[in-house]
């Protein structure tokens, strides 16, 4: 069931993002007087199609991993004289720039709309209260204490752990001090803490911004009760089911969920005997965690199971809500922040500060889409908004075959007053295909490594 939900979630997400992207190209092309021959969501054999009164064929194809808008163009086929004014290649360079840029801009717009809807509807989060501070960690050396609520990072106000993580990840590679403001309770004034760091988060896979600083978020006691069990993973193969409570492992009592997680992570490939309570009855289960290699060496165990959510005390809950106008400003700001974060992550990956193993391909996207769909609509919409921003940023990279590569050619044409030669464009096409193909293969490889 989990696999089916993952597949359906990724089809919904990619289908929506691709449709918006291609509609951006289509809408501006039509405004510029270009005849659109085909609007396709997906590649391969058409599973549904229809043709409108303007002669545009709308298609849903079998492989939902992309899409395209095919326009009338003399470079692709002969065009009758009475239709030359509707060809893409006959439009001014600025019209062509507008048409090509419209796809990524549509994805930015979709992200803004998604964030706006979330801010207007209101999002519920938990207060970023420090649970534990690891001894001799950067947080401990700065004086940060358990029970304090973090209110800002590097001078930027934060109201949730998600916002804190985003602020911290933006400082990958930093050396020196990270500034955190925290207060003892809601009525007290905040105090500044300076956390010493050296090559912060460099090449961590995945980055652990809080754990690296020695900070563990506060959370209520979480019993070791399974909330979800993924198909074809160790927990499912052992016969574990949602609702099972783990009482002991190899005879050692399990007090809460993180105790169970610690045992699993410490025993990759080792057979464990679990004492479980199911529907009030005791049960013994044999579980062998899978093994996942770490880039830093060694391995950790995993079983493919998630914890059953618990209710947070009311005093730790926070609701973030804005009026329609204020929400628009917040949505634009959040989209801008995520765009800068994505560009910075690409830069840091190129210079070696971020491990390339953090690249995600279709398998990881499917898993994340399914997980966020199971978590709830709010998380799913946030994930979709970020994925839309990522799609826009990647498409704007100056790589031939991508929108950014075409824009580069057209801007050169605007400056020089004549198009880039066909020979140069053909060479760029081959280079671009090689680059994009290599990135796709790397992302798929790392996806498969995560599964193993």
């Amino acid at each position: 069931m989990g696999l089916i939900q993952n597949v359906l979630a990724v089809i919904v997400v990619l289908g929506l993002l691709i449709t918006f992207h291609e509609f951006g190209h289509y809408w501006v092309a039509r405004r510029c007087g270009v005849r659109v021959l085909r609007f396709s969501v997906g590649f391969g054999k058409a599973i549904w199609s229809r043709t409108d009164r303007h002669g545009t064929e709308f298609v849903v194809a079998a492989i939902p991993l992309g899409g395209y808008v095919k326009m009338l163009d003399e470079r692709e086929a002969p065009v009758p004289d009475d239709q030359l004014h509707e060809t893409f290649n006959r439009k001014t360079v600025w019209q062509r720039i507008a048409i090509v840029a419209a796809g990524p801009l549509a994805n930015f717009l979709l992200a803004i709309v998604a964030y706006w809807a979330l801010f207007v509807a209101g999002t519920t989060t938990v207060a970023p209260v420090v649970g534990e501070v690891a001894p001799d960690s950067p947080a401990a050396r700065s004086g940060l204490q358990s029970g304090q609520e973090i209110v800002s990072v590097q001078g930027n106000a934060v109201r949730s752990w998600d916002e804190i993580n985003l602020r911290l990840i933006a400082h990958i590679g930093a050396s020196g001090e990270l500034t955190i403001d925290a207060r003892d309770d809601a009525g007290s004034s905040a105090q500044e803490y300076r956390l010493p760091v050296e090559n912060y988060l460099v090449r961590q896979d995945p980055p652990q911004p809080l754990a690296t600083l020695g900070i563990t978020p506060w959370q209520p006691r979480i019993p070791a009760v399974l909330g979800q069990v993924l198909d074809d993973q160790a927990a499912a193969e052992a016969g574990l089911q949602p609702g099972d409570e783990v009482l002991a492992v190899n005879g050692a009592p399990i007090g809460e969920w993180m105790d169970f997680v610690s045992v699993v992570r410490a025993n990759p490939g080792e057979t464990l005997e679990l004492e479980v309570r199911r529907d009030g009855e005791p049960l013994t289960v044999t579980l062998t965690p899978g093994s996942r290699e770490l880039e830093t060496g060694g391995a950790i165990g995993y079983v493919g199971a998630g914890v059953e959510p618990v209710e947070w005390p009311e005093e730790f809950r926070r609701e973030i809500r804005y009026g329609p106008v204020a929400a628009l400003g917040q949505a634009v700001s959040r989209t801008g922040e995520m765009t800068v974060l994505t560009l910075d992550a690409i830069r840091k990956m190129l210079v070696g500060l971020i491990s390339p193993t953090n690249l995600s391909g279709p398998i990881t996207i499917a898993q994340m889409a399914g997980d966020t769909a199971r978590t709830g609509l709010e998380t799913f919409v946030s994930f979709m908004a970020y994925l839309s921003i990522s799609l826009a940023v990647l498409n704007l990279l100056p790589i031939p075959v991508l929108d950014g590569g075409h824009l580069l050619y057209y801007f050169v044409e605007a400056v020089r007053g004549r198009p880039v030669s066909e020979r140069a464009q053909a060479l760029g096409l081959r280079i671009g295909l090689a680059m994009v193909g290599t990135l796709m293969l790397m992302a798929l490889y790392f996806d498969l490594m995560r599964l193993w």
Side-chain angles (χ1 to χ4, degrees):
M1 184 66 183
L3 177 61
I4 295 175
Q5 190 168 7
N6 286 357
V7 172
L8 290 176
V10 78
I11 289 176
V12 170
V13 171
L14 290 183
L16 185 59
L17 300 189
I18 292 166
T19 300
F20 258 78
H21 182 94
E22 300 305 334
F23 184 78
H25 292 309
Y26 167 82
W27 190 84
V28 176
R30 290 296 308 274
R31 304 288 81 72
C32 291
V34 176
R35 174 174 294 195
V36 179
L37 303 178
R38 173 177 285 191
F39 182 118
S40 178
V41 176
F43 297 109
K45 184 178 180 181
I47 57 177
W48 175 88
S49 69
R50 78 172 184 86
T51 302
D52 70 2
R53 61 188 180 87
H54 301 290
T56 302
E57 181 187 17
F58 291 86
V59 174
V60 176
I63 306 174
L65 296 177
Y68 62 92
V69 170
K70 184 178 181 181
M71 305 173 204
L72 192 64
D73 197 311
E74 290 178 279
R75 296 168 298 180
E76 297 182 3
V79 176
D81 291 343
D82 62 339
Q83 296 179 9
L84 289 176
H85 66 286
E86 295 180 295
T87 57
F88 175 80
N89 63 287
R90 293 275 181 126
K91 298 302 175 181
T92 69
V93 66
W94 296 109
Q95 286 177 313
R96 282 177 276 142
I97 287 173
I99 293 169
V100 172
L105 290 177
N107 285 123
F108 284 128
L109 180 60
L110 176 61
I112 291 172
V113 171
Y115 283 133
W116 178 85
L118 287 176
F119 288 135
V120 169
T123 58
T124 302
T125 184
V126 296
V129 175
V130 178
E132 295 182 8
V133 176
D136 199 34
S137 64
R141 291 195 290 274
S142 75
L144 194 67
Q145 299 178 9
S146 174
Q148 292 183 308
E149 180 178 350
I150 298 175
V151 296
S152 75
V153 174
Q154 294 291 91
N156 297 292
V158 292
R159 286 177 291 182
S160 68
W161 287 114
D162 284 343
E163 291 182 0
I164 290 173
N165 278 313
L166 288 175
R167 294 295 181 189
L168 291 175
I169 285 176
H171 294 280
I172 290 177
S175 294
E177 294 180 332
L178 293 178
T179 301
I180 287 178
D181 290 349
R183 62 190 180 194
D184 293 328
D185 53 61
S188 64
S189 59
Q191 182 177 344
E192 182 182 272
Y193 298 88
R194 297 183 176 274
L195 286 64
V197 293
E198 184 70 27
N199 294 323
Y200 181 59
L201 301 180
V202 169
R203 299 191 69 80
Q204 282 192 14
D205 179 25
Q208 298 179 329
L210 290 170
T212 302
L213 297 176
I215 298 173
T216 301
W218 184 90
Q219 58 185 12
R221 181 184 176 276
I222 303 177
V225 177
L226 276 61
Q228 60 176 333
V229 177
L230 301 181
D231 295 338
D232 302 323
Q233 298 292 323
E237 292 172 356
L240 290 171
Q241 300 176 9
D244 288 350
E245 181 179 3
V246 180
L247 304 176
V249 178
N250 291 344
I254 296 295
E256 55 185 65
W257 176 255
M258 289 311 299
D259 296 337
F260 177 56
V261 171
S262 297
V263 173
V264 168
R265 289 172 65 90
N267 291 278
E270 300 292 331
T271 300
L272 305 174
E273 186 174 277
L274 275 59
E275 295 176 31
V276 175
R277 180 159 50 215
R278 178 182 298 168
D279 299 327
E281 298 295 326
L283 183 69
T284 299
V285 174
T286 299
L287 172 68
T288 304
S291 180
R292 179 171 294 157
E293 297 295 325
L294 297 175
E295 185 180 344
T296 54
I300 59 172
Y302 72 99
V303 297
V307 65
E308 184 173 72
V310 298
E311 289 294 326
W312 283 72
E314 191 62 34
E315 63 268 24
F316 285 88
R317 296 167 68 87
R318 300 285 187 272
E319 185 177 42
I320 302 174
R321 186 191 301 271
Y322 297 93
V325 176
L328 179 60
Q330 291 292 327
V332 172
S333 177
R334 175 63 62 86
T335 301
E337 290 175 359
M338 300 304 291
T339 300
V340 171
L341 181 65
T342 304
L343 286 169
D344 194 46
I346 294 172
R347 179 187 68 82
K348 289 176 178 177
M349 191 172 293
L350 291 175
V351 300
L353 294 178
I354 297 179
S355 170
T357 56
N358 286 288
L359 281 173
S360 297
I363 297 175
T364 299
I365 292 173
Q367 290 179 329
M368 293 179 67
D371 290 345
T372 56
R374 282 185 285 270
T375 302
L377 181 62
E378 179 182 312
T379 308
F380 183 69
V381 172
S382 293
F383 170 72
M384 183 187 68
Y386 178 62
L387 199 59
S388 188
I389 292 169
S390 300
L391 179 62
V393 170
L394 291 175
N395 264 283
L396 286 173
L397 294 179
I399 300 174
V401 312
L402 298 180
D403 291 334
H406 294 296
L407 289 173
L408 177 62
Y409 290 149
Y410 297 147
F411 280 119
V412 170
E413 179 182 343
V415 172
R416 297 173 64 215
R418 63 181 186 277
V420 176
S421 69
E422 291 187 7
R423 180 179 178 183
Q425 292 190 45
L427 176 62
L429 178 63
R430 289 195 291 270
I431 294 173
L433 286 172
M435 293 175 66
V436 172
T438 301
L439 285 174
M440 291 179 65
L441 288 175
M442 287 176 61
L444 183 59
Y445 170 76
F446 293 134
D447 276 358
L448 295 174
M449 290 299 292
R450 292 185 188 102
L451 291 177
W452 294 334

